[in-house]
Amino acid sequence: MDKYRCTVCGYIYDPALGDPTASIAAGTPFDKLPATWVCPECGAPKEMFEKV
Amino acid sequence: MRPVEIKKGIYWVGAVDWDIRTFHGNTYSTKRGTTYNSYLIIDDKVTLVDGVLASFAGEQIERIREIVPVEKIDYIIVNHIEPDHSGALPGLMKLCPKAKLFGTAKSKEGLSRMYGTDWGLQVVKTGEKLNIGKRNLTFIEAPMIHWPDSMFTYCAEEELLLPNDAFGQHYATSERFDDGTDQCALMDEAGKYYANILWPLGGMIARKIDEILKMNISIKMIAPSHGIIWRRDPMKIINSYISWTKNETKPKAVVIFETMWGSTEMMARKITEGLTDGGVEVKLFDITRSDRTEVNNQMLDARCFVFGSSTHDNGMLSTLAGFLEFLNGLKPKGRIGAAFGSCGWAGGAIPAIEQVLKEAGIELALPSISVKYVPDQDELKKCYEMGVELAKKITGKA
Protein backbone atom coordinates (compact mmCIF):
# COMPACT_ATOMS: atom_id res chain seq x y z
CA MET A 1 0.00 0.00 0.00
CA ASP A 2 1.27 3.47 -0.92
CA LYS A 3 2.40 6.04 1.60
CA TYR A 4 1.32 9.65 1.16
CA ARG A 5 3.14 12.81 2.21
CA CYS A 6 1.45 16.00 3.41
CA THR A 7 2.74 18.74 1.09
CA VAL A 8 2.18 21.34 3.80
CA CYS A 9 4.04 19.93 6.81
CA GLY A 10 5.82 16.77 5.59
CA TYR A 11 3.85 14.24 7.69
CA ILE A 12 3.70 10.82 6.03
CA TYR A 13 0.52 8.74 6.15
CA ASP A 14 1.55 5.12 6.41
CA PRO A 15 -1.41 2.77 5.76
CA ALA A 16 0.33 0.10 7.84
CA LEU A 17 -0.04 2.35 10.89
CA GLY A 18 -3.33 4.12 10.11
CA ASP A 19 -4.05 7.23 12.17
CA PRO A 20 -4.92 6.36 15.78
CA THR A 21 -5.59 10.07 16.57
CA ALA A 22 -8.56 9.93 14.19
CA SER A 23 -9.54 6.28 14.91
CA ILE A 24 -8.27 5.17 11.50
CA ALA A 25 -7.40 1.48 11.78
CA ALA A 26 -4.02 0.12 10.76
CA GLY A 27 -4.25 -1.27 7.22
CA THR A 28 -6.49 1.53 5.88
CA PRO A 29 -5.27 2.59 2.41
CA PHE A 30 -5.05 6.35 1.77
CA ASP A 31 -7.91 6.33 -0.74
CA LYS A 32 -10.21 4.73 1.84
CA LEU A 33 -9.68 7.58 4.32
CA PRO A 34 -12.87 9.64 4.74
CA ALA A 35 -12.99 12.90 2.76
CA THR A 36 -13.16 14.79 6.04
CA TRP A 37 -9.87 13.31 7.27
CA VAL A 38 -7.12 15.89 7.74
CA CYS A 39 -3.40 15.70 8.43
CA PRO A 40 -3.00 14.83 12.13
CA GLU A 41 0.01 17.13 12.42
CA CYS A 42 -1.10 20.27 10.61
CA GLY A 43 -4.77 20.00 9.64
CA ALA A 44 -4.18 20.03 5.86
CA PRO A 45 -7.02 18.40 3.87
CA LYS A 46 -6.61 15.09 2.07
CA GLU A 47 -6.17 16.66 -1.37
CA MET A 48 -2.99 18.35 -0.20
CA PHE A 49 -1.24 14.97 0.09
CA GLU A 50 0.90 13.41 -2.62
CA LYS A 51 2.02 9.85 -3.16
CA VAL A 52 5.53 9.18 -1.84
CA MET B 1 3.72 54.76 25.62
CA ARG B 2 0.16 54.50 26.90
CA PRO B 3 -2.29 51.80 25.81
CA VAL B 4 -4.03 52.69 22.54
CA GLU B 5 -7.81 52.37 22.33
CA ILE B 6 -8.35 50.72 18.93
CA LYS B 7 -12.14 50.41 19.35
CA LYS B 8 -14.34 51.66 22.17
CA GLY B 9 -13.32 49.51 25.15
CA ILE B 10 -10.64 47.55 23.24
CA TYR B 11 -7.03 48.47 23.89
CA TRP B 12 -3.66 47.68 22.35
CA VAL B 13 -1.53 46.62 25.32
CA GLY B 14 1.42 45.15 23.38
CA ALA B 15 5.03 46.25 23.01
CA VAL B 16 7.24 47.83 20.36
CA ASP B 17 10.58 46.07 19.85
CA TRP B 18 12.62 48.78 18.11
CA ASP B 19 15.95 46.99 18.36
CA ILE B 20 15.37 43.42 17.19
CA ARG B 21 17.40 42.76 14.02
CA THR B 22 17.07 39.01 13.55
CA PHE B 23 13.93 37.05 14.29
CA HIS B 24 13.57 33.41 15.37
CA GLY B 25 17.22 32.57 15.23
CA ASN B 26 18.81 33.89 12.08
CA THR B 27 15.95 33.12 9.69
CA TYR B 28 14.47 36.61 9.26
CA SER B 29 16.19 39.99 9.34
CA THR B 30 13.97 42.56 11.02
CA LYS B 31 15.73 45.75 10.06
CA ARG B 32 12.68 47.84 10.89
CA GLY B 33 12.17 46.06 14.24
CA THR B 34 8.78 44.59 15.15
CA THR B 35 5.89 44.83 17.58
CA TYR B 36 4.14 42.21 19.69
CA ASN B 37 0.49 43.19 19.67
CA SER B 38 -1.77 42.21 22.54
CA TYR B 39 -5.38 43.35 22.87
CA LEU B 40 -7.43 43.88 26.00
CA ILE B 41 -11.22 43.84 25.70
CA ILE B 42 -13.12 45.44 28.58
CA ASP B 43 -16.50 43.75 28.93
CA ASP B 44 -18.33 41.77 31.64
CA LYS B 45 -15.48 39.33 31.23
CA VAL B 46 -12.14 41.12 30.87
CA THR B 47 -10.50 39.36 27.92
CA LEU B 48 -6.91 39.45 26.68
CA VAL B 49 -6.19 38.34 23.10
CA ASP B 50 -2.61 37.49 22.06
CA GLY B 51 0.53 38.10 24.09
CA VAL B 52 4.10 39.34 23.94
CA LEU B 53 7.68 38.07 24.03
CA ALA B 54 8.90 37.19 27.55
CA SER B 55 11.31 40.13 27.68
CA PHE B 56 8.39 42.55 27.15
CA ALA B 57 6.18 41.06 29.90
CA GLY B 58 6.72 44.10 32.13
CA GLU B 59 5.60 46.53 29.42
CA GLN B 60 2.47 44.51 28.68
CA ILE B 61 1.52 44.27 32.35
CA GLU B 62 2.15 48.00 32.86
CA ARG B 63 -0.17 48.83 29.95
CA ILE B 64 -2.88 46.46 31.17
CA ARG B 65 -2.66 48.08 34.61
CA GLU B 66 -3.40 51.49 33.13
CA ILE B 67 -6.80 50.09 32.12
CA VAL B 68 -7.64 47.44 34.70
CA PRO B 69 -5.87 45.53 37.50
CA VAL B 70 -4.17 42.50 35.93
CA GLU B 71 -5.88 40.28 38.49
CA LYS B 72 -9.22 41.16 36.86
CA ILE B 73 -8.44 39.34 33.62
CA ASP B 74 -11.06 36.60 33.20
CA TYR B 75 -10.22 35.16 29.78
CA ILE B 76 -7.03 34.85 27.74
CA ILE B 77 -7.35 33.89 24.08
CA VAL B 78 -4.24 32.06 22.88
CA ASN B 79 -4.41 32.49 19.11
CA HIS B 80 -0.85 31.20 18.69
CA ILE B 81 1.68 29.63 21.05
CA GLU B 82 4.98 30.72 19.45
CA PRO B 83 7.24 32.31 22.10
CA ASP B 84 6.87 35.85 20.71
CA HIS B 85 3.19 35.59 21.70
CA SER B 86 3.25 33.16 24.64
CA GLY B 87 6.59 34.01 26.27
CA ALA B 88 5.05 36.41 28.78
CA LEU B 89 2.20 34.02 29.61
CA PRO B 90 3.84 32.13 32.53
CA GLY B 91 4.51 35.40 34.37
CA LEU B 92 1.07 36.76 33.57
CA MET B 93 -0.63 33.60 34.84
CA LYS B 94 1.04 34.10 38.22
CA LEU B 95 -0.72 37.46 38.48
CA CYS B 96 -4.13 36.22 37.29
CA PRO B 97 -4.12 32.50 38.12
CA LYS B 98 -7.90 32.22 37.76
CA ALA B 99 -7.91 33.45 34.18
CA LYS B 100 -9.36 30.90 31.79
CA LEU B 101 -7.44 30.16 28.60
CA PHE B 102 -8.96 29.32 25.21
CA GLY B 103 -7.15 27.90 22.20
CA THR B 104 -6.98 24.98 19.78
CA ALA B 105 -6.19 21.36 20.66
CA LYS B 106 -2.71 21.83 19.15
CA SER B 107 -2.28 24.93 21.27
CA LYS B 108 -3.02 22.93 24.44
CA GLU B 109 -0.52 20.26 23.43
CA GLY B 110 2.12 22.83 22.49
CA LEU B 111 1.84 24.90 25.67
CA SER B 112 2.34 21.76 27.76
CA ARG B 113 5.50 20.95 25.82
CA MET B 114 6.82 24.51 26.06
CA TYR B 115 5.93 25.45 29.65
CA GLY B 116 5.13 22.17 31.38
CA THR B 117 1.51 23.23 31.84
CA ASP B 118 -1.43 24.29 29.68
CA TRP B 119 -3.06 26.17 32.59
CA GLY B 120 -6.25 24.16 31.95
CA LEU B 121 -6.71 25.69 28.49
CA GLN B 122 -10.19 25.02 27.12
CA VAL B 123 -10.07 23.66 23.59
CA VAL B 124 -12.25 25.49 21.06
CA LYS B 125 -13.10 24.72 17.45
CA THR B 126 -14.08 26.70 14.38
CA GLY B 127 -17.46 28.36 14.81
CA GLU B 128 -17.54 28.12 18.60
CA LYS B 129 -18.56 31.33 20.31
CA LEU B 130 -17.55 32.78 23.65
CA ASN B 131 -19.85 35.36 25.21
CA ILE B 132 -17.91 37.97 27.19
CA GLY B 133 -20.82 40.30 27.95
CA LYS B 134 -21.98 42.72 25.28
CA ARG B 135 -19.71 41.02 22.80
CA ASN B 136 -19.24 37.51 21.45
CA LEU B 137 -15.95 36.13 20.22
CA THR B 138 -16.04 33.57 17.41
CA PHE B 139 -13.08 31.26 16.94
CA ILE B 140 -11.76 30.20 13.55
CA GLU B 141 -9.08 27.51 13.56
CA ALA B 142 -6.36 28.47 11.09
CA PRO B 143 -3.90 25.56 11.05
CA MET B 144 -0.57 26.29 9.33
CA ILE B 145 -1.21 30.02 9.18
CA HIS B 146 1.35 29.54 10.23
CA TRP B 147 1.67 26.81 12.88
CA PRO B 148 -0.71 23.89 13.52
CA ASP B 149 -2.06 25.63 16.64
CA SER B 150 -2.86 28.95 14.90
CA MET B 151 -6.32 30.42 15.32
CA PHE B 152 -8.18 33.62 14.40
CA THR B 153 -10.62 35.34 16.76
CA TYR B 154 -13.49 37.40 15.34
CA CYS B 155 -15.77 39.83 17.14
CA ALA B 156 -18.96 40.45 15.14
CA GLU B 157 -20.17 43.33 17.31
CA GLU B 158 -16.94 45.21 16.58
CA GLU B 159 -16.47 43.90 13.00
CA LEU B 160 -12.96 43.11 14.20
CA LEU B 161 -10.72 40.25 13.09
CA LEU B 162 -7.81 39.27 15.33
CA PRO B 163 -5.86 36.88 13.05
CA ASN B 164 -2.61 36.76 15.02
CA ASP B 165 0.36 36.40 12.62
CA ALA B 166 -1.68 36.51 9.40
CA PHE B 167 -1.66 39.96 7.78
CA GLY B 168 1.13 41.04 10.15
CA GLN B 169 4.43 42.77 9.50
CA HIS B 170 7.72 43.11 11.33
CA TYR B 171 7.51 46.87 11.50
CA ALA B 172 8.21 48.90 14.64
CA THR B 173 6.39 52.23 14.63
CA SER B 174 5.00 54.78 17.04
CA GLU B 175 1.78 54.65 15.00
CA ARG B 176 -0.63 51.76 15.45
CA PHE B 177 -2.79 52.15 12.33
CA ASP B 178 -2.33 51.84 8.57
CA ASP B 179 -3.61 55.37 7.94
CA GLY B 180 -0.87 56.83 10.09
CA THR B 181 2.13 55.19 8.49
CA ASP B 182 4.26 55.16 5.35
CA GLN B 183 2.29 52.98 2.89
CA CYS B 184 5.35 51.86 0.90
CA ALA B 185 7.17 50.67 4.00
CA LEU B 186 4.00 49.00 5.29
CA MET B 187 3.34 47.03 2.10
CA ASP B 188 7.06 46.22 1.76
CA GLU B 189 7.04 44.71 5.26
CA ALA B 190 3.69 42.93 4.71
CA GLY B 191 5.06 41.35 1.52
CA LYS B 192 8.35 40.46 3.17
CA TYR B 193 6.45 38.74 5.99
CA TYR B 194 4.41 36.73 3.49
CA ALA B 195 7.48 35.86 1.37
CA ASN B 196 9.57 34.69 4.29
CA ILE B 197 6.99 33.06 6.57
CA LEU B 198 3.83 32.24 4.68
CA TRP B 199 4.83 31.58 1.07
CA PRO B 200 4.97 27.75 1.33
CA LEU B 201 1.60 27.77 3.10
CA GLY B 202 -0.25 29.59 0.31
CA GLY B 203 -2.58 26.65 -0.33
CA MET B 204 -3.82 26.66 3.27
CA ILE B 205 -4.09 30.46 3.33
CA ALA B 206 -6.13 30.59 0.10
CA ARG B 207 -8.59 28.06 1.55
CA LYS B 208 -8.91 29.96 4.82
CA ILE B 209 -9.47 33.33 3.13
CA ASP B 210 -12.08 31.69 0.90
CA GLU B 211 -13.76 30.16 3.95
CA ILE B 212 -13.83 33.53 5.75
CA LEU B 213 -15.15 35.42 2.71
CA LYS B 214 -17.91 32.80 2.37
CA MET B 215 -18.87 33.33 6.03
CA ASN B 216 -20.09 36.75 4.86
CA ILE B 217 -18.85 38.47 7.97
CA SER B 218 -18.17 42.17 8.07
CA ILE B 219 -14.53 43.04 8.69
CA LYS B 220 -13.87 46.73 9.36
CA MET B 221 -10.61 46.24 11.20
CA ILE B 222 -7.85 43.62 11.13
CA ALA B 223 -5.61 43.69 14.18
CA PRO B 224 -2.68 41.29 13.69
CA SER B 225 -0.11 40.27 16.28
CA HIS B 226 2.79 42.10 14.62
CA GLY B 227 2.99 45.61 13.23
CA ILE B 228 0.31 47.93 11.99
CA ILE B 229 -3.47 47.52 12.42
CA TRP B 230 -5.48 47.64 9.19
CA ARG B 231 -8.53 49.93 9.52
CA ARG B 232 -8.52 52.25 6.50
CA ASP B 233 -8.94 49.47 3.97
CA PRO B 234 -8.75 45.97 5.47
CA MET B 235 -9.52 44.43 2.06
CA LYS B 236 -6.23 45.81 0.73
CA ILE B 237 -4.17 43.33 2.68
CA ILE B 238 -6.69 40.50 2.13
CA ASN B 239 -6.51 41.09 -1.64
CA SER B 240 -2.71 41.21 -1.52
CA TYR B 241 -2.73 37.86 0.26
CA ILE B 242 -5.10 36.42 -2.35
CA SER B 243 -2.70 37.55 -5.09
CA TRP B 244 0.32 36.10 -3.28
CA THR B 245 -1.40 32.76 -2.63
CA LYS B 246 -2.10 32.53 -6.36
CA ASN B 247 1.62 33.07 -6.99
CA GLU B 248 0.78 36.02 -9.23
CA THR B 249 3.95 37.49 -10.67
CA LYS B 250 5.02 40.42 -12.84
CA PRO B 251 7.58 40.71 -15.66
CA LYS B 252 10.51 40.66 -13.31
CA ALA B 253 13.65 38.57 -12.88
CA VAL B 254 15.95 38.08 -9.92
CA VAL B 255 19.56 37.15 -10.69
CA ILE B 256 21.41 35.61 -7.75
CA PHE B 257 25.04 34.56 -7.88
CA GLU B 258 28.11 33.62 -5.88
CA THR B 259 31.55 34.09 -7.39
CA MET B 260 35.16 33.22 -6.46
CA TRP B 261 37.36 35.24 -8.82
CA GLY B 262 34.78 37.37 -10.60
CA SER B 263 34.02 35.25 -13.69
CA THR B 264 30.55 34.19 -12.55
CA GLU B 265 29.91 37.81 -11.54
CA MET B 266 30.83 39.01 -15.08
CA MET B 267 28.29 36.54 -16.45
CA ALA B 268 25.64 37.65 -13.93
CA ARG B 269 26.06 41.28 -14.94
CA LYS B 270 25.78 40.48 -18.67
CA ILE B 271 22.62 38.40 -18.10
CA THR B 272 21.21 41.28 -16.06
CA GLU B 273 21.99 43.71 -18.92
CA GLY B 274 20.22 41.43 -21.38
CA LEU B 275 17.15 41.17 -19.14
CA THR B 276 17.11 44.94 -18.69
CA ASP B 277 17.37 45.62 -22.42
CA GLY B 278 14.72 42.96 -22.95
CA GLY B 279 12.36 45.23 -21.04
CA VAL B 280 11.84 43.46 -17.72
CA GLU B 281 12.52 44.64 -14.19
CA VAL B 282 15.63 42.98 -12.75
CA LYS B 283 17.25 42.68 -9.33
CA LEU B 284 20.83 41.43 -9.08
CA PHE B 285 22.21 40.00 -5.84
CA ASP B 286 25.62 38.72 -4.81
CA ILE B 287 24.20 36.27 -2.29
CA THR B 288 27.29 36.42 -0.06
CA ARG B 289 26.67 40.11 0.60
CA SER B 290 22.88 40.18 0.49
CA ASP B 291 20.19 39.87 3.09
CA ARG B 292 18.28 36.65 2.39
CA THR B 293 15.05 38.08 3.85
CA GLU B 294 15.21 40.95 1.36
CA VAL B 295 16.09 38.64 -1.55
CA ASN B 296 13.07 36.42 -0.79
CA ASN B 297 10.91 39.54 -0.71
CA GLN B 298 12.14 40.49 -4.19
CA MET B 299 11.43 36.97 -5.45
CA LEU B 300 7.79 36.99 -4.30
CA ASP B 301 6.48 38.82 -7.39
CA ALA B 302 9.28 37.83 -9.82
CA ARG B 303 8.47 35.48 -12.71
CA CYS B 304 12.03 34.33 -13.32
CA PHE B 305 14.87 33.22 -11.04
CA VAL B 306 18.41 33.01 -12.45
CA PHE B 307 21.13 31.37 -10.37
CA GLY B 308 24.87 31.32 -10.93
CA SER B 309 27.85 29.87 -9.12
CA SER B 310 31.48 29.08 -9.63
CA THR B 311 32.26 25.40 -9.26
CA HIS B 312 33.97 24.55 -5.99
CA ASP B 313 34.71 21.00 -4.86
CA ASN B 314 32.70 19.73 -7.86
CA GLY B 315 29.53 21.52 -6.72
CA MET B 316 28.10 24.97 -6.20
CA LEU B 317 29.41 27.42 -3.61
CA SER B 318 28.07 27.03 -0.11
CA THR B 319 26.32 30.38 0.45
CA LEU B 320 24.24 29.88 -2.68
CA ALA B 321 23.62 26.26 -1.69
CA GLY B 322 22.30 27.44 1.69
CA PHE B 323 20.08 30.02 0.03
CA LEU B 324 18.66 27.45 -2.40
CA GLU B 325 17.93 25.10 0.49
CA PHE B 326 15.80 27.85 2.02
CA LEU B 327 14.18 28.63 -1.35
CA ASN B 328 13.24 25.02 -1.86
CA GLY B 329 11.30 25.16 1.39
CA LEU B 330 9.34 28.19 0.14
CA LYS B 331 7.91 26.07 -2.71
CA PRO B 332 7.55 28.86 -5.29
CA LYS B 333 5.13 27.99 -8.09
CA GLY B 334 4.70 29.16 -11.66
CA ARG B 335 8.26 30.40 -12.10
CA ILE B 336 10.84 29.85 -14.82
CA GLY B 337 14.55 29.52 -14.07
CA ALA B 338 18.00 29.49 -15.59
CA ALA B 339 21.51 28.60 -14.45
CA PHE B 340 25.03 29.76 -15.26
CA GLY B 341 28.54 29.61 -13.85
CA SER B 342 32.25 29.28 -14.40
CA CYS B 343 34.62 26.46 -13.61
CA GLY B 344 38.26 25.53 -14.01
CA TRP B 345 37.96 21.89 -15.04
CA ALA B 346 35.04 19.46 -14.95
CA GLY B 347 32.39 21.75 -13.50
CA GLY B 348 29.59 20.67 -11.16
CA ALA B 349 27.86 23.85 -9.97
CA ILE B 350 25.43 23.93 -12.90
CA PRO B 351 24.10 20.37 -12.56
CA ALA B 352 23.74 21.02 -8.81
CA ILE B 353 21.69 24.20 -9.44
CA GLU B 354 19.62 22.46 -12.12
CA GLN B 355 18.85 19.67 -9.66
CA VAL B 356 17.58 22.15 -7.05
CA LEU B 357 15.43 23.92 -9.66
CA LYS B 358 13.97 20.58 -10.70
CA GLU B 359 13.18 19.63 -7.10
CA ALA B 360 11.60 23.03 -6.50
CA GLY B 361 9.41 22.59 -9.59
CA ILE B 362 10.98 25.55 -11.40
CA GLU B 363 11.09 24.97 -15.15
CA LEU B 364 14.51 25.47 -16.79
CA ALA B 365 13.66 28.01 -19.49
CA LEU B 366 16.95 27.90 -21.44
CA PRO B 367 20.04 25.69 -21.61
CA SER B 368 22.50 26.65 -18.87
CA ILE B 369 25.71 28.51 -19.72
CA SER B 370 29.04 27.23 -18.44
CA VAL B 371 32.44 28.83 -19.13
CA LYS B 372 36.02 27.78 -18.40
CA TYR B 373 38.08 30.10 -16.16
CA VAL B 374 37.15 33.51 -17.58
CA PRO B 375 34.37 34.28 -20.07
CA ASP B 376 35.60 35.65 -23.41
CA GLN B 377 33.71 38.20 -25.51
CA ASP B 378 31.68 35.52 -27.32
CA GLU B 379 30.68 33.93 -24.04
CA LEU B 380 29.72 37.27 -22.52
CA LYS B 381 27.59 37.89 -25.61
CA LYS B 382 25.90 34.53 -25.00
CA CYS B 383 25.16 35.61 -21.42
CA TYR B 384 23.67 38.88 -22.68
CA GLU B 385 21.56 36.92 -25.16
CA MET B 386 20.42 34.60 -22.41
CA GLY B 387 19.08 37.67 -20.61
CA VAL B 388 17.31 38.91 -23.74
CA GLU B 389 15.80 35.46 -24.42
CA LEU B 390 14.67 35.11 -20.81
CA ALA B 391 13.02 38.54 -21.05
CA LYS B 392 11.06 37.29 -24.07
CA LYS B 393 9.91 34.23 -22.15
CA ILE B 394 9.04 36.34 -19.10
CA THR B 395 6.92 38.74 -21.14
CA GLY B 396 5.38 35.93 -23.20
CA LYS B 397 6.95 37.17 -26.45
CA ALA B 398 9.06 34.06 -27.00
Side-chain angles (χ1 to χ4, degrees), chain B residues 319-334:
Chain B
T319 314
L320 183 70
F323 177 81
L324 290 179
E325 174 68 22
F326 204 83
L327 174 77
N328 208 357
L330 294 177
K331 300 178 194 163
K333 290 192 174 65

Side-chain angles (χ1 to χ4, degrees), chain B residues 3 15 23 62 98 105 109 124 149 155 170 184 195 214-215 259 272 277 288-289 306 327 352 359 378 385:
Chain B
F23 195 80
E62 202 177 306
K98 288 183 183 160
E109 181 190 329
V124 292
D149 62 281
C155 180
H170 287 310
C184 290
K214 281 187 178 140
M215 285 163 76
T259 194
T272 300
D277 292 348
T288 64
R289 291 187 287 152
V306 190
L327 174 77
E359 284 169 13
D378 281 348
E385 283 162 1

Side-chain angles (χ1 to χ4, degrees), chain B residues 92-258:
Chain B
L92 192 64
M93 289 309 289
K94 283 185 185 150
L95 299 176
C96 52
K98 288 183 183 160
K100 194 161 178 53
L101 271 62
F102 298 86
T104 62
K106 289 286 182 189
S107 163
K108 190 175 179 73
E109 181 190 329
L111 285 178
S112 296
R113 294 291 308 176
M114 290 160 78
Y115 303 108
T117 174
D118 60 29
W119 295 281
L121 179 140
Q122 185 176 322
V123 171
V124 292
K125 290 186 170 172
T126 293
E128 279 186 39
K129 282 186 168 57
L130 177 68
N131 176 265
I132 60 169
K134 290 187 273 308
R135 304 175 180 90
N136 292 284
L137 302 180
T138 306
F139 303 115
I140 304 165
E141 292 168 276
M144 299 316 275
I145 311 172
H146 64 116
W147 275 20
D149 62 281
S150 297
M151 178 174 89
F152 297 175
T153 298
Y154 174 69
C155 180
E157 292 81 1
E158 303 288 351
E159 299 171 299
L160 169 67
L161 182 68
L162 298 153
N164 193 268
D165 280 343
F167 312 119
Q169 335 89 43
H170 287 310
Y171 188 22
T173 51
S174 55
E175 298 296 330
R176 299 275 61 82
F177 297 102
D178 53 353
D179 42 290
T181 193
D182 173 355
Q183 294 300 299
C184 290
L186 173 60
M187 290 315 292
D188 182 52
E189 290 302 336
K192 197 188 296 178
Y193 193 92
Y194 185 92
N196 283 275
I197 302 222
L198 301 172
W199 196 346
L201 306 167
M204 296 292 274
I205 296 166
R207 282 163 183 273
K208 189 53 61 179
I209 290 177
D210 194 46
E211 178 190 320
I212 288 171
L213 293 178
K214 281 187 178 140
M215 285 163 76
N216 249 331
I217 54 176
S218 174
I219 299 172
K220 295 272 173 68
M221 185 185 283
I222 299 175
S225 58
H226 293 292
I228 288 291
I229 297 166
W230 308 89
R231 73 173 173 190
R232 185 167 70 182
D233 180 13
M235 280 314 288
K236 181 179 179 179
I237 188 61
I238 292 179
N239 287 330
S240 292
Y241 266 53
I242 291 171
S243 167
W244 293 327
T245 61
K246 287 179 180 164
N247 274 281
E248 286 178 354
T249 56
K250 58 182 183 180
K252 175 178 170 184
V254 180
V255 181
I256 298 166
F257 71 93
E258 182 167 3

Side-chain angles (χ1 to χ4, degrees), chain B residues 312-346:
Chain B
H312 184 263
D313 292 342
N314 306 331
M316 72 176 113
L317 288 163
S318 62
T319 314
L320 183 70
F323 177 81
L324 290 179
E325 174 68 22
F326 204 83
L327 174 77
N328 208 357
L330 294 177
K331 300 178 194 163
K333 290 192 174 65
R335 266 73 175 182
I336 57 170
F340 64 96
S342 60
C343 60
W345 38 100

